[in-house]
Amino acid sequence: MIQKLKEKINFKINSIQFVKREGLTFLDIEIPETSLDQIEEKSKIILNLIHEIDDDNIDYYLNVYSEGTEKEIDLKNINLFIDQYLLVKTNKHYLHKVEWEGHLIENNINDIVIKINNKGRIQKLKINKKDISFIKTTAKLRKEK
């Protein structure tokens, strides 16, 4: 069934496999989407395809999930992440900190520029690429009042 499903799915999937957990069988399908709406939409498509091709008499639960929002970034590919929310760690202090979250707004030869919230003030922070020890995409969380 997995091979038939792979042939029918017309979008990218990272992995698909049957897995046993606590005595139950799951069909785990990881997709590269991060939006809940996209995950729900793709889950419905997968479910419809399963109804078309499922000729196995196996009881299982469908588990469609995301690879997640947080991905480490290679600076060579930083242009792909313009306008995305990033976590940047540096080995040198910038405005008295070595870790910043913000939207990437520029990629220059020697530095990047992120838009940050610095104690309630929105400002641009220029960081030299040589000072970056780690950079990844991250989810922006809002505090509920």
Side-chain angles (χ1 to χ4, degrees), residues 93-97 100 116 118-119 121 123-125:
H93 282 84
Y94 284 82
L95 300 174
H96 309 290
K97 289 172 60 176
W100 289 96
I116 60 166
N118 186 19
K119 299 178 184 173
R121 293 182 319 161
Q123 63 187 95
K124 293 178 182 177
L125 178 64

Side-chain angles (χ1 to χ4, degrees), residues 103-119:
H103 285 91
L104 177 66
I105 55 175
E106 288 180 39
N107 175 35
N108 302 310
I109 293 172
N110 296 317
D111 54 60
I112 63 168
V113 179
I114 59 174
K115 185 167 54 171
I116 60 166
N117 181 341
N118 186 19
K119 299 178 184 173

Side-chain angles (χ1 to χ4, degrees), residues 54-131:
D54 189 6
D55 53 6
D56 297 336
N57 291 320
I58 302 170
D59 288 332
Y60 60 89
Y61 295 91
L62 178 62
N63 181 30
V64 179
Y65 61 96
S66 169
E67 68 183 358
T69 58
E70 298 189 356
K71 300 175 193 164
E72 188 170 353
I73 298 170
D74 184 336
L75 278 173
K76 293 180 220 160
N77 301 322
I78 195 72
N79 274 337
L80 299 173
F81 298 90
I82 297 288
D83 293 326
Q84 290 199 33
Y85 198 74
L86 305 178
L87 169 71
V88 181
K89 293 184 182 182
T90 59
N91 50 32
K92 176 182 167 186
H93 282 84
Y94 284 82
L95 300 174
H96 309 290
K97 289 172 60 176
V98 294
E99 188 172 305
W100 289 96
E101 289 186 14
H103 285 91
L104 177 66
I105 55 175
E106 288 180 39
N107 175 35
N108 302 310
I109 293 172
N110 296 317
D111 54 60
I112 63 168
V113 179
I114 59 174
K115 185 167 54 171
I116 60 166
N117 181 341
N118 186 19
K119 299 178 184 173
R121 293 182 319 161
I122 304 300
Q123 63 187 95
K124 293 178 182 177
L125 178 64
K126 183 189 266 189
I127 300 173
N128 190 309
K129 289 180 181 176
K130 291 179 185 175
D131 296 333

Side-chain angles (χ1 to χ4, degrees), residues 12-16 28-32 63-68:
K12 186 172 182 344
I13 57 170
N14 295 345
S15 67
I16 180 171
D28 281 352
I29 301 176
E30 181 183 296
I31 59 177
N63 181 30
V64 179
Y65 61 96
S66 169
E67 68 183 358

